[in-house]
Amino acid sequence: MISMKGIRKVYDTGKVRVEALKGLDLDLDAGEFVSIVGPSGSGKSTLMNICGCLDVPSDGEFILDGERVDTFDHNQLAEVRNRKIGFVFQNFNLLAYATAYENVELPLIFAGAPAKFRKERVTMLLARVGLGDRMDHKPTELSGGEMQRVAIARSMANNPKLLLADEPTGNLDSRSGKEIIDIFEELWKSGTTILMITHDPNIAKRTKRTILLKDGVIVHSLNGNGNG
Ligand SMILES: Nc1ncnc2c1ncn2[C@@H]1O[C@H](COP(=O)(O)OP(=O)(O)OP(=O)(O)O)[C@@H](O)[C@H]1O
Ligand SMILES: [Mg+2]
């Protein structure tokens, strides 16, 4: 799914030059459920943004699902993103004035899906995350865990191959966090490849491989710590 070689990312703001990723190799197979851990500032979000085609590397080779994307321009990246990737963020990123239903429907509208298909898909996705009875609620009328479940349903709208999550449980209590990981596990079992950043060792433990990032490089990658 992901093959990275010698990935470097340099942020140059004029005053300061930060080398956030320092020549990193990463391989992720289709069907994996992987967590990324590491200290603040180690480059986790930078790596995830590149994986998600939200940003490009300064150097190195990146093949995503068979496509050499490190040379892609803005439009090509957006196209790959819409076709292949779902995103979940720590702060949910929901539209405040839209209902749960409308939030999940939006990417389907952008993708040009017909009305009947949208209705079926949104209803199915919200039911799948346990929010069949909250479809008309706006974000302010939902708990944090419920908001994140809406965000997950939205991320799955266009059936992405790869789900990327940056601290998806970071704003949640441990119980809601656990529910989110339960949903991720279900998605993974039904074939979605998942890459997730977390600070929480108990959350990382639930994935099948953990990658430790430190100072812009992968320090180690631990296999098979799964569910015990
Ligand atoms: N847009 C940017 N411009 C300049 N520097 C940046 C930018 N984004 C990140 N950095 C720098 O790159 C380094 C890595 O940042 P990154 O956000 O990837 O870390 P992180 O591991 O996700 O940290 P955290 O756990 O706090 O979210 C940091 O030193 C940060 O200050
Ligand atoms: Mg981060």
Side-chain angles (χ1 to χ4, degrees):
M1 181 66 66
I2 285 176
S3 167
M4 287 180 161
K5 282 196 180 66
I7 294 293
R8 287 197 323 125
K9 180 68 184 180
V10 178
Y11 293 114
D12 204 336
T13 57
K15 269 189 194 155
V16 222
R17 189 175 172 281
V18 178
E19 194 174 359
L21 298 176
K22 300 176 178 169
L24 156 166
D25 301 336
L26 171 67
D27 283 292
L28 188 75
D29 289 336
E32 281 205 89
F33 184 13
V34 173
S35 50
I36 300 178
V37 299
S40 184
S42 57
K44 303 184 296 296
S45 295
T46 300
L47 175 61
M48 183 150 289
N49 290 344
I50 293 173
C51 286
C53 298
L54 290 165
D55 205 350
V56 288
S58 311
D59 223 333
E61 182 184 290
F62 175 23
I63 297 168
L64 174 66
D65 192 31
E67 289 182 277
R68 177 85 197 256
V69 294
D70 54 272
T71 55
F72 277 15
D73 66 24
H74 244 71
N75 292 333
Q76 289 172 305
L77 288 172
E79 202 260 331
V80 173
R81 221 157 49 218
N82 295 339
R83 216 161 13 96
K84 294 188 173 167
I85 302 167
F87 294 95
V88 174
F89 299 98
Q90 177 170 5
N91 53 6
F92 323 129
N93 287 9
L94 297 176
L95 289 181
Y97 297 103
T99 63
Y101 185 96
E102 291 161 345
N103 268 284
V104 178
E105 189 183 29
L106 205 61
L108 289 161
I109 293 175
F110 285 146
K116 183 167 177 283
F117 176 83
R118 295 202 307 263
K119 188 171 182 193
E120 286 169 6
R121 180 113 187 121
V122 174
T123 308
M124 183 278 285
L125 287 166
L126 282 169
R128 194 169 172 186
V129 297
L131 292 178
D133 58 350
R134 295 286 192 280
M135 297 206 281
D136 298 324
H137 287 232
K138 294 188 174 154
T140 50
E141 300 159 355
L142 295 167
S143 71
E146 287 169 344
M147 282 194 263
Q148 195 59 301
R149 285 190 268 154
V150 174
I152 293 172
R154 179 186 56 185
S155 77
M156 296 308 292
N158 289 315
N159 201 21
K161 289 184 169 179
L162 177 63
L163 180 61
L164 298 177
D166 194 341
E167 294 279 359
T169 65
N171 282 351
L172 305 177
D173 60 51
S174 61
R175 182 176 165 179
S176 309
K178 189 189 163 295
E179 284 168 7
I180 295 304
I181 302 308
D182 289 344
I183 293 171
F184 278 3
E185 196 168 80
E186 299 251 307
L187 294 173
W188 168 68
K189 281 179 180 159
S190 59
T192 311
T193 307
I194 303 177
L195 186 61
M196 171 181 73
I197 295 173
T198 183
H199 270 117
D200 184 340
N202 289 319
I203 297 287
K205 237 187 260 166
R206 298 278 306 270
T207 66
K208 312 306 162 194
R209 174 153 74 106
T210 299
I211 291 167
L212 173 61
L213 213 60
K214 239 179 194 169
D215 207 17
V217 292
I218 291 175
V219 180
H220 67 226
S221 180
L222 269 182
N223 258 310
N225 50 348
N227 282 321

